Amino acid sequence: MEMEAVAEMEMEAVARSSERAGAEMEAVARSSERAGAAVRSRAEVDATLQTAKLNPAELLPAVHCLSFGPQAGGGECCLLQLEPGLCAELEAGRSLVIRGEKDEHAVLCSKDKTYDMKIADTSNMLLYVPGCKMPEELKADPASCNIIYSQIAGFSKNYWELRRCRPKLKKLRKLLMEDPYEGPDSQKDQTSTLSKYTTEDLLSLIQASEEEILHHLQVINACKIEGPFHILIFQDASYFKVLRLVSIDHVLCCYEFDQKEKAEQALQSVSFQHDSFFAATNTGIRTGFISVFLACEERLEQVPHLGTGPIHPLLGYAQTLSGTQGYWRILDFDYEMKLLSHVTQLIDSESWPLSKVPLCACLEELGSLEPREMIEHILLSYGRKYVDDGEIFFEMHEDKICRAIAQMLLQNAVKFNLSEFEEVWQQSVPEGMTTRLDQLQGLALVDKSSRPETIFLLKVEDLPEDNQERFNSLFGIREKWTEVDITPYIHTTHQVVCINNINFQRKSVVGYVELTIFPTVANLNRIKLNSKQCRIYRVRVNDLEAAFIYNDPTLEVCHHESKQRNLNYFSNAYAAAVSAVDPDAGNGELCIKVPSELWKHVDELKVLKVHINFSLDQPKGGLHFVVPNMEGNMAERGAHVFSCGYQNSTRFWFPCVDSYSELCTWKLEYTVDAAMVAVSNGDLVETVYTHDMRKKTFHYMLTIPTAASNISLAIGPFEILVDPYMHEVTHFCLPQLLPLLKHTTSYLHEVFEFYEEILTCRYPYSCFKTVFIDEAYVEVAAYASMSIFRSDEWVLKGISGYIYGLWMKKTFGVNEYRHWIKQELDQIVAYELKTGGVLLHPIFGGGKEKDNPASHLHFSIKHPHTLSWEYYTMFQCKAHLVMRLIENRISMEFMLQGPLKVTVQELDGSFNHTLQIEENSLKHDIPCHSKSRRNKKKKIPLMNGEEVDMDLSAMDADSPLLWIRIDPDMSVLRKVEFEQSDFMWQYQLRYERDVVAQEEAILALEKFPTPASRLALTDILEQEQCFYRVRMLACFCLAKIANSMVSTWTGPPAMKSLFTRMFCCKTCPNIVKTNNFMNFQSYFLQKTMPVAMALLRDVHNLCPKEVLMFILDLIKYNDNRKNKFSDNYYRAELIDALANSVTPAVSVNNEVRTLDNLNPDVRLILEEITRFLNMEKLLPSYRHTITVSCLKAIRVLQKNGHVPSDPALFKSYAEYGHFVDVRIAALEAVVDYTKVDRSYEELQWLLTMVQNDPVPYIRHKILDMLTKNPPFTKNMESPLCNEALVDQLWKLMNSGTSHDWRLRCGAVDLYFTLFGLSRPSCLPLPELGLVLNLKEKKAVLNPTIIPESVANNQEPVNSTNNHGQSVGFQNTEDDHLIKETASSISGHQQGVKRKADMPLGSPLEPGQILEKNEDSKVKLKIRFSNSQEEEEIDMDTVHDSQAFIYHHLNMLERPSTPGEMVARDSAARHRVCIAFLIGELSLVLGETL
């Protein structure tokens, strides 16, 4: 195969892959070489067939016996997969050429097609066996029953795969435009040193086939101009006749030499006009060739006789050898217009019809002015050639001529008055032609916003090729574009979405979509799109009716009724179903057959337009209708609809390619009632009313390529607010919420300014819209140029967590930011310790389950639709923490190993030490810089440069250490625990200025209930300069210390005197001052201290009477009349304080609690809660926070036995119609009641709400609450665990939640929490765990049992890459043995029978124990699930079992589970020793270990 240019990167990849393959096969090859001529005999072959239980009658008689040849190597063989057409070309003697430069991806070209080349890896080893015969080549007669010995000449684990692709022709015009042709008389053309390109040059530079290049040269109107010289090359071994070349008026004349040396000397002295000719001459001499350049034919006859040698006798020979080697050129526009002017003037003067211009007449008339070739070329460029009565004519193309003349008029003007231009333009074109503005698409742009209207030149070829750069350039020219204006300048896919009927009563929509698709490969006869729930009525492709098929495997994951109820089986099946419709893999639910009439159209890679009519009736996901049940029309009732969903959910409301990687431009049209407003992505171009004014259509254009997943919609009677600071930002809210909207969005412009400043770029879209709605799927959903929020909260969760953290630091300060980082760090560490590592970029090798780095999880992480919601939340959390590490220039390896920062505060200041963590257990010595001089009075310098006075009496007299911090910058994604003396924590709390250090000290002081700790915490509470969150945390710590010191505590209850001094009247300490929340720090402390005080307990473990009455007085005397802020959160905290004061009831003789025999204190608490609930019905608080706290308090009273445990109240508050926060609080109480009272009735009530509640967020929260607070777990005995519940949950996640990815994953989480991965214990046991077939001597595992350890490696039946279902059972006593054995072996399912003798490392079946007796005979003990008896099976006996091949070894390194870092501290003298243990970090201060 001929190769003109090879892309070296791909070839190097093949070479490296072949080297790896060679390394793997090296041992086999060596073994084959050692075997030498030792080959198998027919008897050995027959014995092998018998062992494998293969019937020779079912096989071909010929046997291939393979061995490695002496020259076999993996790096010498490169395989290329060819389609039959390409094979036929090679067999016909034609060439295939690989083209591409070093920085280009290689393509393979035939004579007329271009193919993309990609390396395809295969799990099978591909062998190259010369002379190997295929089955059809072998004779069927018995004579062919023999052994064919063949040697392997090469092997490979990959091959080149070809796919038809578009030719890469953009480079062609760029090359030719480097030196445009200005005519034969141009001085520039004669002196230019720029490169010129022949056909061979272009073939070596352009990644396209020869026919495609030649066709494109015609498209761009390139012409072939013959070179000024002919080339004559000849060589004679015994005689050289050399002509000397001299230049006379650019004509090369010749002299004759008989000696080669004289010829070379003469040629060296000649000065040529073109450097390339001189180089070619020298090259010719060096290679033994003499290159003689002769003048063009016409001029050669006029050259006089010079020198001693005749020249004319050489003319004929020169002409025969020189050929027609010319250069491809594009005409300079001015020269092209000059030629066109000659032609059009001739047409006018001769009065020829534009449809019939004679070629001969044009050449005769204009031949004296310009070369004939140029005249014919211009006619071809602007006309159509045809023959009539043997004469050649041209039909001139009106649009091309008008367009060229317009360009000539506009190219020298910056802007042209539109009306004047149209007048001049019409006068300039030939008579009979009509000018139109649509002739200038992609050439000129009309500015209708200017007065007067203007037009200016804007050529599409002058724009950048990169899509993003092109759009930046276009929007730099104009801020807003219409679809008509921008379409000629973009070359990307486009989609139109038109919803022309929305019925709120029926909750239905009707509309159509139109997709503009650019095929990238030939033979495209199927188009796969994503579409769920939509009813497809009609599909047309390029106005032709097209057949289509709809198949959604996610509607029902396990199609066959399965009694396994095995979660891992379901998870694998679900992952396979999601992959089957994954658009990134070229799949989809809707498969459209391209009409056969368009197959040729597709082969030419021409555009397709797919038109789909669809409807949506009562959607369960994707679109959410909110229709309040009240009087009035839909607008008066506040009815609205909006798009929603979790990841790639646009397919739920219109057909599309639902992938973040597929971008296109959008035209969005929505027809709604006149009282409604439609909000969508992009710019609102126009709003058109119908004739009766009852409906209107909103037209949106999104001209920046955007993924379908980022398209959104909200329709409702919205009130509109244009941001007063940024007019390109518009806010929308439901009726009567405009004042709240103004307050909520008042600072949005500051967020915009911060983001644009930190990112050093402008917001990419021309507008931004925020829409506040009810019953939101999530608190905020971010889309292209639009965000949808819950109408009661403004939370920036939809924006990148990292940049959000930067914005938080700027807005709320460093302390709030570091506190948030610490919270996020603790969350991700706690989750990873419980569940396992969270992978930011999971990579799977070959898509095999054995390579799954997250096999410990009960869900697949290959696709976002299969992720647990909690895992996805932690994924986001870890992502922004890693971004923070990158900001600090820390590599990803630092999370596992690398430098660890330790800060030691000594008497002389703070000192940082960096320790290298490279192993699991390490010891480090840290030197101290200070001498022990604590008695000397001197200020102590802190890390921030501040110097403070300290009372050093508490510290060790022999140690200069005050405190130690490990990883103060929170750069290690691990849990850090260490211990130090109580006085060190107290110093750290008082004097360390970092809020994280202060919080760490407070948490540590809970273990040191001493007067010194009490004093340190009290000092912090009184420090107004201290961060408010630290003071709030200190309140709860002080309560815990007071409870631990209850027997020795003196004085009033903790915090009471401090609260009285800070917030109560001086004359009457029990009466609180009038509320004034202007000081936020004091406000947070004021509402936290009563909650913490309520946790105090006396020696009888009861809340002190004094504390309870104090809290009741706070409620009684609360006065908010003069406060500008609402006190609803403060009152809610006081109710929480009442709940915290409740302790378990003491029952006497099992008496039933009634209102008459209530404890007096509890009666007071219940009366206050009842009063608050009644007041809420009259004057509801913001977000109903009072109701939420009251419901929680009532549940506390129930759990502590003071009031009867009854869920009726909570169920009434959980019904649809209540505010979402109230519903969630009530549902939490019902979930808790279900767990404590083991109520099957309430569990069924909750699961019914999961299926039927109108609000998706509530359905999700119920599953989440049941998962976090389950009524039972897999290790518990519970009456709630029964077969009916298993079936109910299985059906819920199998088919009942197909409309909501998040809900389905939540159901999977709940199922895992309740039953685990294995078969639920409440299901009846199958009749047999293992079936032994003694006749066939094989064991078959019962397919209805899938133990948890086996399920980890199981694949579903309907998986696309499934090779057979692995099933089995396992005794828990032998679980450790099975896991240990499986960890050292690997096996692949081959789908064929094989010999059962077990080589070293073969996997065991579940429940088997491998033993070896004295005679080295391997035996296998099988323990049955319903007995302790064991049966031995001789492993030398041939039998079959799928369990031998079900194990898959995890080849990828699994993410390490974060270990705990534990540190212990005691007084040190002069150095610190740090020891790293496996999974934890221990810090010991003291003598060297």
Side-chain angles (χ1 to χ4, degrees), residues 324-365:
T324 57
Q325 186 70 274
Y327 298 97
W328 286 101
R329 309 287 294 276
I330 288 182
L331 301 188
D332 179 73
F333 183 73
D334 290 338
Y335 180 58
E336 185 176 344
M337 288 300 99
K338 178 182 175 183
L339 294 171
L340 182 60
S341 177
H342 289 325
V343 173
T344 55
Q345 289 176 11
L346 179 62
I347 293 173
D348 284 342
S349 63
E350 298 292 337
S351 299
W352 289 331
L354 293 173
S355 60
K356 198 169 185 179
V357 178
L359 173 61
C360 292
C362 288
L363 295 179
E364 290 176 2
E365 294 291 336

Side-chain angles (χ1 to χ4, degrees), residues 1450-1473:
N1450 290 330
M1451 302 301 293
L1452 293 178
E1453 182 180 357
R1454 294 189 178 184
S1456 60
T1457 303
E1460 294 186 355
M1461 297 186 178
V1462 182
R1464 299 194 165 96
D1465 174 24
S1466 62
R1469 292 183 180 272
H1470 298 292
R1471 58 180 179 267
V1472 180
C1473 177

Side-chain angles (χ1 to χ4, degrees), residues 1331-1356:
V1331 179
L1332 294 179
N1333 190 324
L1334 300 179
K1335 182 177 180 180
E1336 296 185 9
K1337 300 180 180 180
K1338 67 178 182 180
V1340 181
L1341 296 173
N1342 192 322
T1344 62
I1345 302 181
I1346 304 292
E1348 186 164 326
S1349 61
V1350 180
N1352 286 335
N1353 297 296
Q1354 180 184 357
E1355 295 185 358

Side-chain angles (χ1 to χ4, degrees), residues 484-529:
V484 176
D485 286 346
I486 201 170
T487 299
Y489 295 102
I490 57 177
H491 300 287
T492 183
T493 53
H494 181 70
Q495 181 161 356
V496 177
V497 178
C498 178
I499 295 180
N500 46 39
N501 189 295
I502 300 176
N503 190 318
F504 281 91
Q505 196 70 40
R506 293 184 53 188
K507 297 183 179 179
S508 64
V509 298
V510 178
Y512 69 85
V513 296
E514 185 177 272
L515 296 89
T516 302
I517 299 174
F518 291 89
T520 57
V521 296
N523 304 323
L524 179 68
N525 54 12
R526 296 289 188 275
I527 298 175
K528 293 186 178 181
L529 301 176

Side-chain angles (χ1 to χ4, degrees), residues 1282-1298:
N1282 54 53
E1283 188 175 359
L1285 179 63
V1286 174
D1287 289 341
Q1288 185 179 10
L1289 285 177
W1290 182 269
K1291 292 177 181 177
L1292 179 66
M1293 65 184 187
N1294 186 45
S1295 59
T1297 51
S1298 62

